[in-house]
Amino acid sequence: MPRAARPLAKHYGDLVWASLIEARPAGLHTRQLVAATRLKKSQVARGIGHLRDVAAAEHLTPIIYTYKDGYVFSDEPADWIEYEKKQFRQILGRLTRVITGTLDPHLARCPEDEWAQLAVAQLTGVRATLAQLSK
């Protein structure tokens, strides 16, 4: 369930939404959104967050980001899948660093720690799932 939007985030999201719809099928980078909406960079970021949390689901229009085009509403499922895979790869990288940089040394020093054992057992499955999804 999407979180409830704060009024300003909704306003920023509406401005970002309108700018992206107007630019369609092209996308806009953050600096272009700042110029188009006359918002600050942080406000554009809140607007993008609102779009991701609420508006995209309401309008059934995924918002993706590419280095080439910036933020864009794409109608191509292949674009959505490529973006989703990139996101899963990033999450996988962060999760792997938590496991190898924190949990593995934790378990090496305290092998009987029940919490660390549980965390490693659960996250190993998540890690395998993310690895499959990011392929």
Side-chain angles (χ1 to χ4, degrees):
M1 184 168 134
R3 69 180 182 199
R6 294 180 296 191
L8 281 178
K10 181 180 181 339
H11 172 70
Y12 301 153
D14 291 344
L15 292 173
V16 171
W17 172 271
S19 295
L20 288 173
I21 290 296
E22 189 175 311
R24 233 175 157 175
L28 296 173
H29 290 276
T30 302
R31 63 181 160 67
Q32 294 170 312
L33 283 168
V34 167
T37 61
R38 297 186 178 174
L39 296 173
K40 296 176 186 174
K41 187 176 178 181
S42 63
Q43 294 169 326
V44 167
R46 284 177 64 188
I48 293 290
H50 173 76
L51 290 179
R52 291 195 188 283
D53 291 345
V54 179
E58 287 177 358
H59 299 287
L60 299 177
T61 307
I63 183 172
I64 63 171
Y65 180 86
T66 67
Y67 290 113
K68 177 184 171 215
D69 299 320
Y71 293 99
V72 64
F73 291 119
S74 173
D75 291 323
E76 295 297 322
D79 293 341
W80 310 335
I81 292 169
E82 181 182 337
Y83 176 78
E84 291 158 355
K85 286 181 177 184
K86 285 180 185 176
Q87 295 301 302
F88 290 137
R89 278 192 292 276
Q90 286 182 344
I91 296 166
L92 176 61
R94 291 186 69 193
L95 179 61
T96 298
R97 284 189 296 279
V98 168
I99 292 169
T100 60
T102 307
L103 286 170
D104 287 348
H106 179 163
L107 272 177
R109 291 187 71 182
C110 306
E112 302 302 319
D113 187 318
E114 289 182 33
W115 187 91
Q117 290 175 0
L118 173 65
V120 168
Q122 294 297 314
L123 292 177
T124 299
V126 173
R127 188 177 180 185
T129 300
L130 287 171
Q132 287 297 316
L133 290 172
S134 64
K135 289 183 179 178

